[in-house]
Amino acid sequence: MNAVEKLYDMLKESQGRKGYFFSLDRERVFDLLESLIKNRERYGYMCCPCRLASGDRDADRDIICPCAYREADVRDYGSCYCNLYVSAAWNEGKIPKVYVPERRPLEKLPY
């Protein structure tokens, strides 16, 4: 089992208990998990692969996966910003799959 598969199994179990599921798009999920692993190697923590990290753990604390915005995103849209974590209703096609807007405040962006 490779690192991505191990991370998938670990997160699927731990986050599933909390009511968060992976998207059924397994290729996208594995791409995102691979990017999380690369960010851990690069920065020392698994920051969101869909956002720009600063490399400062304290400044990036809100985007360490699962990010601080996931709960509200899944509640309001059925999916987090990356479409990594989704609700059961999202996976079952019971709610529309819409673009999830960025919630991270502009002042937190590293540029």
Side-chain angles (χ1 to χ4, degrees):
M1 185 180 295
N2 68 33
V4 172
E5 292 168 330
K6 286 179 185 177
L7 183 59
Y8 177 87
D9 288 345
M10 182 189 72
L11 293 176
K12 183 176 181 179
E13 181 181 334
S14 66
Q15 298 307 305
R17 288 192 304 261
K18 297 175 184 179
Y20 297 100
F21 307 95
F22 285 134
S23 164
L24 296 178
D25 184 345
R26 192 172 171 95
E27 183 177 345
R28 177 166 175 78
V29 167
F30 273 60
D31 286 347
L32 289 167
L33 293 176
E34 185 176 344
S35 295
L36 284 171
I37 291 169
K38 285 179 183 174
N39 281 346
R40 181 175 59 202
E41 293 166 357
R42 181 179 296 137
Y43 302 114
Y45 51 94
M46 291 194 305
C47 53
C48 176
C50 299
R51 295 177 166 105
L52 290 176
S54 68
D56 177 334
R57 186 182 187 95
D58 287 333
D60 292 339
R61 190 164 304 283
D62 62 321
I63 61 168
I64 294 175
C65 189
C67 75
Y69 314 104
R70 175 186 70 171
E71 183 178 343
D73 287 348
V74 173
R75 181 190 63 235
D76 295 348
Y77 300 99
S79 169
C80 72
Y81 184 66
C82 295
N83 301 136
L84 176 64
Y85 290 110
V86 301
S87 67
W90 195 89
N91 265 343
E92 294 165 2
K94 294 180 179 177
I95 58 175
K97 293 180 172 128
V98 298
Y99 174 77
V100 178
E102 173 65 273
R103 291 181 191 260
R104 193 171 199 213
L106 289 176
E107 62 270 10
K108 289 198 162 245
L109 300 179
Y111 48 86

